[in-house]
Amino acid sequence: MSEPTAARPPHDEGALRHDEPPEHAAGIPAVLRSGQVALSRGGVKGLRELTRVNQHDGFDCPSCAWADPANRSFAEFCENGAKAVADAADKHRADPRFFRRHSIDELLAHDDRWLNDAGRLTTPMLRREGATHLEPVTWEAAEGMLAEALAATTAERAVFYTSGRASNEAAFLYQLWARTLGTNNLPDCSNMCHESSGDALSPTIGIGKGTTTLEDLEVADVIIVLGQNPGTNAPRMLTALQACVDGGGTIVSVNPMDEVGLSRFVNPQDFTNPLRAPRALLGGGTALAKEHLQVRIGGDLALLTGVQKALLEAGGVDEAFVAQRTSGFEQLRAHLEAQPWEPLEQASGLGRDRMAMLAQLIAGTRRVVWCWAMGITQHEHAVGTIQQLANLALLRGAIGVEGAGLCPVRGHSNVQGDRTVGVWDRPNESFLARLDAGIGGGFSSPREHGHDVVKSIEAAARGEVDVFVSLGGNMLQAAPDTDATAAALGSVGLAVQVATKLNRGHLLAGRSALLLPCLSRTEADVTDAGQQCITVESSMGVVTRSTGRAKPASRMLRSEPAIIAGLAAASVGATTPVDWRALGDDHDALRDVIERCVDGFDDYNARIRQDNGFALPNPPREGDFSGLPDGRAVLTTYPLPNGGSATPTPDDTLTLMTIRSHDQFNTTVYGDSDRYRGVHGDRRVLFLSPADADARGLSDGQRVDVTSHAADGERSIHGFRIVLHDLPDGDCAAYFPEANPLIPLSSTAIGSNTPVSKAVPVTIAPSV
């Protein structure tokens, strides 16, 4: 398959350099890089904004969702957070003059980094069908165009996508607007990351979230980190891991790649601490993971099954807890006893002794925390795998006690909050009933489930979507099967996207399109009701306020809640008891509505004005499983696919997983330097073990074509360069989103429908 220029960003033939990775994460290089990026992109303003990141009177970092400590340092941010803040403070402007200078075809001839670096959007822009350029449009005209498009279709033919960076206030208004129209077509980025976690945990422990606090990680005896690279994807987590090790705890890494961020950490904050500074300067910081289990891609299910089996054989089950607080143990015991060891070793790539080691490690304590991310969730059997992980916590009674629990590490800064306030295509009845009662006036939400991300793309491809609205994000580059996604989104009649910066999806989605610029999280939102703040929920269920103070990039910018309120008022305002524009103007009034409509938000406005916000209810965190049918947590069984035997494939087939570099956050790529893996100058690379390269007669730096194989056909990417790396034989890796064209829409996790981006069968051949 050839590479369409429009759907896949063009690329320069960069000068690839592959060095030895550094010995530790963070430290002085991270400090220097943070300052450099802040100054180069945002100038003095960028540096000034760093002093307000994650502070009590400041704004929440727009990067990851890691929780804030109660006692915060003067520099409570990481390198990637600094990049995100600097990106928002960008001095450049993608204003009407910019769009007059550059035609749509010219813009598509540049890669996404160039589009992002064009600067902040300043004015609503319109792309008419067949036009060569985008043109400015008024807010009122934009609202009218969308209202007209919605009136001309039916609710089930409209889709409302959400990025995890949207605030609680914006997300609540957004889902209320969609449900007022009559649809639950509310796909969001959760569908592509931790949907598997929620679907696994809700029927198992009674809540689709983690059960730990930040303090639990700091006092844990054991932390197991599976399928996650915190040094790049959640760098502030390393501080909690450091505290665990300093307290005598043990960290175990489970990952096909041995990541520097889990090996050794130099905490930049240590340089200001007289007791820690010598270690930071002379001793190379803190050694983190004591053990690294190099599991095969997709082998986590077999590993976790083997650890359960070894725990049972070693007598490490907390029998009192299991008997009193769980159900399903006898079925699980029979399943484990009947499971032979050989398939577990074959499927995981690890020996029985390594599984027994981990079982012995957790058998001696209840203070065990299990952390995981997309290396676990983006597999066909992800839901079953996470339930086996939950089994291990329950078998040890390691839930509801200090220093223990389950910790799915979320990505975007409010992806968990968006779901809490209702952005979900499969809402439960209790949420909808309370929403209806809270709105009142005869309001009634639709009950039929809507489209998630994959179903939305499939519906658009069938010609069943007339209106596509996106609240932030870059669905084109985040979704799988880039060519199919571009074609599907391009067939929609009208696309409306709310954003701070330009991306390729804005140029391709919709035959006609509106691009609506919003305030960033760093910027002041001052309305007739005064200075406004928003709120976000961390990975650990803590809701805090966020107040921007910087001067907005343009007088034409509106906040996300105000934009949504205006669009809703224009399209459904006369049919509901909601005063949309008033809520978009006064976020305290909006939070009063949320308090009436969503569980756990009592005294919302008062509690967010506490320095550390408030924690949402989480009964399993207290060992309470009363939300489940019989008041007990559920132990589950999940058989190995094919009985543990490898699926028959040609001998030359490899298993590919997508990964992120250190110089990116989600779809936003800041540069070509993946410092922690020693890769510089090019992102179009394929990580491959030396043995697999030798077996194919390939060498380091050689260009290859990569082809994925699925029931509906083959997909290829071309001209990727080999980087030799320590990976299990038969496994390989490539960067997201460059490798997304290989992932078929039809390949999704059982139960959650999350795209399988971490286990893609591929073959490779030298480029011609």
Side-chain angles (χ1 to χ4, degrees):
M1 179 183 293
S2 62
E3 297 193 36
T5 302
R8 307 191 200 180
H11 59 279
D12 296 326
E13 301 296 339
L16 177 66
R17 189 178 88 249
H18 186 203
D19 303 329
E20 284 295 317
E23 294 182 353
H24 62 258
I28 291 176
V31 175
L32 295 177
R33 179 62 175 154
S34 297
Q36 176 193 25
V37 171
L39 190 61
S40 64
R41 284 179 177 264
V44 175
K45 176 182 176 182
L47 286 174
R48 184 176 62 245
E49 290 306 299
L50 290 182
T51 66
R52 304 191 62 249
V53 184
N54 296 321
Q55 300 300 323
H56 295 306
D57 62 347
F59 60 89
D60 189 77
C61 180
S63 192
C64 80
W66 192 247
D68 298 321
N71 299 314
R72 304 180 192 185
S73 76
F74 71 94
E76 197 60 57
F77 60 87
C78 68
E79 181 181 342
N80 266 3
K83 293 172 185 174
V85 171
D87 201 54
D90 197 335
K91 297 173 291 187
H92 300 95
R93 299 288 181 263
D95 56 16
R97 289 175 297 178
F98 169 85
F99 287 106
R100 283 196 296 270
R101 289 197 306 268
H102 301 285
S103 70
I104 295 168
D105 285 344
E106 286 178 51
L107 293 172
L108 287 171
H110 291 285
D111 64 20
D112 278 52
R113 193 187 319 158
W114 188 94
L115 297 176
N116 182 78
D117 290 348
R120 291 289 302 279
L121 298 164
T122 65
T123 307
M125 301 298 295
L126 168 65
R127 175 166 53 80
R128 298 183 189 275
E129 185 170 5
T132 60
H133 289 70
L134 278 80
E135 62 186 75
V137 65
T138 66
W139 281 106
E140 293 72 22
E143 291 170 356
M145 290 179 65
L146 177 56
E148 183 178 340
L150 289 170
T153 188
T154 55
E156 65 270 15
R157 296 180 66 87
V159 166
F160 297 82
Y161 175 73
T162 316
S163 157
R165 192 176 288 181
S167 66
N168 288 332
E169 292 75 12
F172 177 83
L173 271 184
Y174 196 62
Q175 61 84 35
L176 181 61
W177 175 33
R179 293 188 168 113
T180 300
L181 285 164
T183 184
N184 284 314
N185 288 342
L186 285 158
D188 77 313
C189 57
S190 287
N191 301 148
M192 294 180 282
C193 56
H194 272 288
E195 197 71 56
S196 298
S197 297
D199 284 349
L201 297 180
S202 292
T204 304
I205 62 171
I207 195 169
K209 303 180 181 183
T211 66
T212 58
T213 65
L214 187 56
E215 293 74 20
D216 285 327
L217 274 79
E218 294 172 350
V219 300
D221 291 330
V222 181
I223 299 177
I224 298 99
V225 183
L226 304 97
Q228 186 200 357
N229 177 16
T232 287
N233 300 331
R236 288 197 300 147
M237 180 180 174
L238 298 181
T239 301
L241 299 182
Q242 180 188 42
C244 171
V245 171
D246 285 348
T250 298
I251 296 170
V252 178
S253 167
V254 180
N255 201 313
M257 302 177 82
D258 189 4
E259 303 287 7
V260 170
L262 277 169
S263 297
R264 185 170 288 274
F265 170 53
V266 175
N267 190 339
Q269 296 175 11
D270 286 352
F271 295 118
T272 62
N273 185 326
L275 297 178
R276 293 177 179 268
R279 178 176 65 177
L281 290 168
L282 303 175
T286 305
L288 295 180
K290 184 177 181 180
E291 299 282 353
H292 174 229
L293 301 182
Q294 192 175 34
V295 67
R296 294 180 58 187
I297 293 175
D300 306 276
L301 174 60
L303 167 64
L304 295 168
T305 302
V307 176
Q308 289 177 81
K309 183 176 175 68
L311 188 69
L312 189 68
E313 292 178 354
V317 173
D318 186 331
E319 295 182 359
F321 181 93
V322 167
Q324 296 167 13
R325 313 295 290 280
T326 73
S327 62
F329 177 65
E330 291 307 322
Q331 296 94 320
L332 176 60
R333 185 208 297 270
H335 167 70
L336 295 172
E337 289 177 343
Q339 175 65 57
W341 278 106
E342 185 178 357
L344 298 175
E345 294 179 312
Q346 179 183 2
S348 68
L350 296 166
R352 175 178 177 178
D353 60 329
R354 299 294 282 160
M355 301 183 215
M357 176 278 297
L358 185 52
Q360 288 289 345
L361 190 61
I362 67 174
T365 179
R366 297 176 70 188
R367 294 160 75 101
V368 180
V369 173
W370 297 83
C371 302
W372 70 95
M374 284 178 279
I376 298 295
T377 65
Q378 293 181 331
H379 288 275
E380 181 182 1
H381 302 282
V383 173
T385 299
I386 296 165
Q387 288 181 336
Q388 301 317 292
L389 187 156
N391 277 0
L392 280 161
L394 294 169
L395 289 172
R396 286 297 309 135
I399 257 187
V401 296
E402 185 183 43
L406 301 167
C407 182
V409 180
R410 310 280 176 169
H412 245 154
S413 58
N414 196 42
V415 63
Q416 186 161 294
D418 289 354
R419 178 60 53 84
T420 298
V421 299
V423 174
W424 196 20
D425 57 287
R426 295 178 285 149
N428 58 48
E429 178 57 31
S430 63
F431 175 86
L432 294 178
R434 177 154 180 169
L435 178 65
D436 292 352
I439 298 300
F443 179 78
S444 180
S445 302
R447 264 51 180 179
E448 183 178 354
H449 288 173
H451 296 323
D452 61 16
V453 166
V454 169
K455 290 179 180 177
S456 294
I457 296 169
E458 292 172 339
R462 295 192 299 268
E464 297 173 4
V465 178
D466 296 323
V467 177
F468 170 74
V469 186
S470 177
L471 179 58
N474 184 351
M475 184 166 155
L476 171 64
Q477 296 297 348
D481 212 338
T482 308
D483 300 332
T485 297
L489 293 179
S491 71
V492 172
L494 176 66
V496 180
Q497 303 196 62
V498 179
T500 58
K501 287 194 158 189
L502 183 64
N503 67 52
R504 186 166 300 273
H506 300 149
L507 304 172
L508 294 177
R511 296 192 299 275
S512 297
L514 289 164
L515 182 53
L516 306 180
C518 66
L519 294 169
S520 75
R521 197 172 288 177
T522 66
E523 291 170 323
D525 178 15
V526 181
T527 71
D528 290 342
Q531 170 79 57
Q532 302 300 306
C533 69
I534 57 170
T535 61
V536 296
E537 179 185 344
S538 74
S539 255
M540 294 174 178
V542 177
V543 178
T544 55
R545 74 184 183 277
S546 175
T547 308
R549 309 246 181 220
K551 181 182 177 181
S554 164
R555 290 180 300 167
M556 292 288 288
L557 301 185
R558 294 182 178 180
S559 71
E560 288 180 331
I563 293 171
I564 297 160
L567 296 172
S571 56
V572 299
T575 65
T576 69
V578 179
D579 188 343
W580 297 95
R581 293 191 190 276
L583 296 183
D585 187 64
D586 185 347
H587 297 173
D588 276 0
L590 174 53
R591 283 185 284 270
D592 287 339
V593 177
I594 296 174
E595 181 178 333
R596 295 198 306 267
C597 294
V598 184
D599 289 340
F601 286 84
D602 301 336
D603 299 321
Y604 194 179
N605 276 307
R607 290 197 289 165
I608 63 162
R609 286 170 168 86
Q610 301 170 161
D611 274 350
N612 294 306
F614 64 94
L616 290 168
N618 191 314
R621 181 178 288 162
E622 310 302 324
D624 177 5
F625 307 113
S626 59
L628 291 166
D630 64 356
R632 293 167 174 257
V634 179
L635 294 163
T636 61
T637 61
Y638 198 91
L640 297 186
N642 304 313
S645 300
T647 304
T649 57
D651 291 340
D652 60 348
T653 300
L654 299 164
T655 301
L656 176 137
M657 65 177 181
T658 61
I659 57 176
R660 289 191 291 193
S661 79
H662 190 64
D663 218 4
Q664 75 178 104
F665 186 75
N666 290 347
T667 58
T668 302
V669 176
Y670 300 113
D672 284 334
S673 177
D674 192 359
R675 191 169 74 243
Y676 291 169
R677 298 188 183 101
V679 177
H680 308 273
D682 200 349
R683 291 177 51 85
R684 292 169 57 84
V685 300
L686 180 74
F687 293 92
L688 192 65
S689 75
D692 282 322
D694 287 345
R696 291 161 177 78
L698 302 172
S699 58
D700 195 42
Q702 184 173 351
R703 293 192 181 276
V704 294
D705 299 337
V706 187
T707 301
S708 66
H709 305 271
D712 62 351
E714 296 181 345
R715 296 159 176 82
S716 296
I717 52 180
H718 305 281
F720 277 52
R721 290 193 265 195
I722 289 176
V723 170
L724 298 181
H725 199 83
D726 182 17
L727 277 159
D729 293 346
D731 290 345
C732 59
Y735 292 127
F736 155 103
E738 285 82 358
N740 283 7
L742 295 174
I743 304 163
L745 280 167
S746 57
S747 179
T748 60
I750 298 169
S752 68
N753 209 34
T754 294
V756 176
S757 300
K758 295 294 186 285
V760 184
V762 300
T763 52
I764 57 178
S767 297
V768 177

